[in-house]
């Protein structure tokens, strides 16, 4: 007799559990049941992933992946399908983690670990990963550059997949190495200058939306944290490789444990 966890799930059972765990931000296909069929971005993040999936190695056999802000696990699942040996998804929201664990069980991807933690906890993980996914998180943070520094310092071994909501001028403007104290201030008025737009109140009725960069600011912050941009398949998405950190950068020691 099959264990309860091993018997096939019927559509009605999946529909019931999806409703119990809702609302969902990731619109996943769980054996024919869509978790967010009315998503305002329609089939998100599947449709977005189609635009940059080609820049991620097709074969991740033997590799490790950390998915920061994993939500319901879409990117964790995709990396596991590419053969990643170890996949760890972290999120601060226990409901998202419950969604991810349930989705993994329906999809037959049960060897993915989902753990409650935030980007500020990565120093306590005690391990580095071949690929770190940091998608859709930066603009929710009060201290965005600190988050990139922590990722570089503690968990990134090789690749970083980054995405952020962006606004303002498009383009990969790179500032000069230095500017005059007085004349240099004029440069800040350039439309293409790297800018972080500060959200003092709310944006999209979300109190966690703090900073929205333009394209140049996303690129500049990644470089400032020690990541070299390898691929830029669309304005919001960057595939980077970890390099040397800035000589003047702070070091943030691990505290406690996120095990």
């Amino acid at each position: 007799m099959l264990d309860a966890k091993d018997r096939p799930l019927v559509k009605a059972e999946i529909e019931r559990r999806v409703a119990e765990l809702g609302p969902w931000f990731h619109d996943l296909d769980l054996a024919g049941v869509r978790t967010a069929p009315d998503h305002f971005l329609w089939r998100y993040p599947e449709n977005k992933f189609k635009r940059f999936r080609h820049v991620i190695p097709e074969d991740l056999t033997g590799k490790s992946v950390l998915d920061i802000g994993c939500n319901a696990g879409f990117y964790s699942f995709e990396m596991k399908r590419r053969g990643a040996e170890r996949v760890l998804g972290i999120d601060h929201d226990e409901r998202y983690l419950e969604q991810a664990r349930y989705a993994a069980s329906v999809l037959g991807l049960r060897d993915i670990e989902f753990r409650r933690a935030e980007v500020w906890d990565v120093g306590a993980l005690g391990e580095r990963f071949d690929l770190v996914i940091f998608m859709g998180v930066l603009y929710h943070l009060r201290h965005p550059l600190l988050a990139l520094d922590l990722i570089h310092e503690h968990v990134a071994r090789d690749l970083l997949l980054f995405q952020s909501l962006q606004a303002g001028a498009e383009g990969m403007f790179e500032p000069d190495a230095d500017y005059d104290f007085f004349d240099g201030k004029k440069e800040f008025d350039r439309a293409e200058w790297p800018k972080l737009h500060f959200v003092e109140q709310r944006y999209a009725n979300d109190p966690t939306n703090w900073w929205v960069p333009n394209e140049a600011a996303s690129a500049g912050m990644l470089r400032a944290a020690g990541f070299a941009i390898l691929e830029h398949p669309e304005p919001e998405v960057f595939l980077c490789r970890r390099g040397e950190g800035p000589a003047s950068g702070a070091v943030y020691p691990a505290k406690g444990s996120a095990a």
Side-chain angles (χ1 to χ4, degrees):
M1 182 175 180
L2 286 176
D3 223 25
K5 66 180 177 60
D6 294 321
R7 66 181 173 81
L9 291 168
V10 299
K11 185 175 182 180
E13 291 176 326
I14 298 173
E15 289 175 336
R16 177 186 60 79
R17 188 60 178 143
V18 164
E20 289 176 349
L21 291 171
W24 296 64
F25 187 68
H26 283 183
D27 182 21
L28 307 175
D29 182 352
L30 301 185
V33 177
R34 304 297 312 195
T35 58
D38 299 322
H39 200 296
F40 72 103
L41 294 175
W42 196 71
R43 300 227 166 155
Y44 182 85
E46 177 184 347
N47 276 344
K48 188 173 187 66
F49 184 54
K50 290 176 181 178
R51 301 199 291 270
F52 62 86
R53 63 184 304 160
H54 61 282
V55 304
I56 305 168
E58 283 289 337
D59 186 2
L60 292 174
T61 301
K63 302 295 186 180
S64 57
V65 178
L66 173 64
D67 186 359
I68 301 172
C70 63
N71 203 278
F74 175 86
Y75 291 107
S76 294
F77 303 147
E78 290 297 325
M79 299 309 108
K80 194 64 185 178
R81 291 185 179 116
R82 294 183 182 220
E85 180 176 342
R86 165 137 169 82
V87 179
L88 171 62
I90 63 172
D91 204 288
H92 76 284
D93 192 318
E94 188 58 43
R95 180 170 58 87
Y96 289 151
L97 295 170
E98 286 186 34
Q99 292 174 351
R101 294 181 187 115
Y102 178 70
S105 69
V106 174
L107 297 171
L109 300 171
R110 294 178 182 168
D111 55 346
I112 300 175
E113 181 184 357
F114 292 103
R115 188 186 305 177
R116 188 171 187 178
E118 301 187 55
V119 65
W120 318 120
D121 302 318
V122 296
L125 293 177
E127 58 181 308
R128 288 192 178 273
F129 298 81
D130 299 300
L131 170 63
V132 176
I133 299 173
F134 193 50
M135 306 278 292
V137 179
L138 182 121
Y139 53 95
H140 293 299
L141 305 176
R142 286 177 65 100
H143 310 292
L145 189 55
L146 171 60
L148 291 173
D149 285 345
L150 288 168
I151 291 169
H152 183 279
E153 180 70 25
H154 293 294
V155 288
R157 176 184 292 124
D158 187 17
L159 298 178
L160 170 69
L161 180 65
F162 170 89
Q163 179 268 336
S164 174
L165 172 71
Q166 293 179 167
E170 296 184 356
M172 296 279 284
F173 176 79
E174 292 191 38
D176 293 341
D178 196 5
Y179 290 91
D180 177 76
F181 183 85
F182 294 103
D183 291 340
K185 288 197 294 184
K186 300 174 185 176
E187 297 293 315
F188 300 151
D189 294 327
R190 297 172 62 137
E192 67 271 28
W193 185 271
K195 291 183 176 72
L196 279 173
H197 303 90
F198 177 58
V199 182
E200 183 180 0
Q201 301 296 333
R202 292 194 178 204
Y203 172 72
N205 198 34
D206 187 341
T208 72
N209 286 329
W210 284 103
W211 298 96
V212 184
N214 63 8
E215 188 175 357
S218 290
M221 293 174 72
L222 288 164
R223 292 191 298 266
F227 293 99
I229 297 169
L230 302 178
E231 302 279 356
H232 186 36
E234 64 159 46
E236 293 185 351
V237 177
F238 300 78
L239 181 69
C240 306
R241 171 154 285 139
R242 184 185 187 276
E244 291 298 319
S248 59
V251 174
Y252 308 97
K255 293 182 179 180
S257 172

